[in-house]
Amino acid sequence: QLQLVESGGGLVQPGGSLRLSCTASGFTLDYNAIGWFRQAPGKEREGVSCISSSGGVTNYAESVKDRFFISRDKAKNTVYLQMNRLKPEDTAVYYCLAVGCYSDHIGHPGNFVSWGQGTQVTVSS
């Protein structure tokens, strides 16, 4: 029943913008902190950003700080990741996941997390 669906990825030129969406199906996101993660070919999965259940706490990886912005719309049961000034290094599959979110770090996924399909972001000229 519990499901998160990522969308909004695509092909964009360096310097461009995309907005990713994470929408819940089968439950409400009101009580969940949500994190965005990404995995590029040949690299480890890394945390990108997270937002607390209330939206009052956010965290960003240093590589995306001041370029990416996370938000949530509880009426739409959706968490967004606005990505600006995109770089080729941002190319990856992006996933959202219910995790803890703290001012100094993104909560770690459990060992047996069921990752969704993700959404592909490709930054290339």
Side-chain angles (χ1 to χ4, degrees), residues 10-43:
L11 175 63
V12 65
Q13 295 187 19
S17 298
L18 285 172
R19 187 177 72 165
L20 306 184
S21 297
C22 175
T23 301
S25 178
F27 73 105
T28 179
L29 289 179
D30 287 359
Y31 310 114
N32 297 99
I34 298 294
W36 283 97
F37 299 80
R38 67 185 181 186
Q39 186 165 32
K43 299 182 67 176

Side-chain angles (χ1 to χ4, degrees), residues 39-122:
Q39 186 165 32
K43 299 182 67 176
E44 296 285 335
R45 182 178 287 109
E46 64 175 339
V48 177
S49 182
C50 67
I51 186 167
S52 64
S53 59
S54 68
V57 176
T58 58
N59 186 274
Y60 300 91
E62 286 297 323
S63 60
V64 308
K65 188 176 182 181
D66 299 325
R67 298 190 298 117
F68 291 12
F69 302 92
I70 193 168
S71 63
R72 63 192 306 155
D73 186 335
K74 297 196 173 186
K76 296 181 178 180
N77 209 28
T78 298
V79 172
Y80 301 100
L81 183 67
Q82 178 67 47
M83 306 185 296
N84 302 314
R85 293 184 284 132
L86 284 161
K87 305 175 181 179
E89 307 93 272
D90 297 318
T91 296
V93 178
Y94 285 70
Y95 305 88
C96 62
L97 191 70
V99 295
C101 188
Y102 314 93
S103 61
D104 61 341
H105 76 281
I106 300 168
H108 301 291
N111 292 328
F112 304 102
V113 167
S114 180
W115 297 94
Q117 62 181 2
T119 186
Q120 175 72 52
V121 172
T122 302

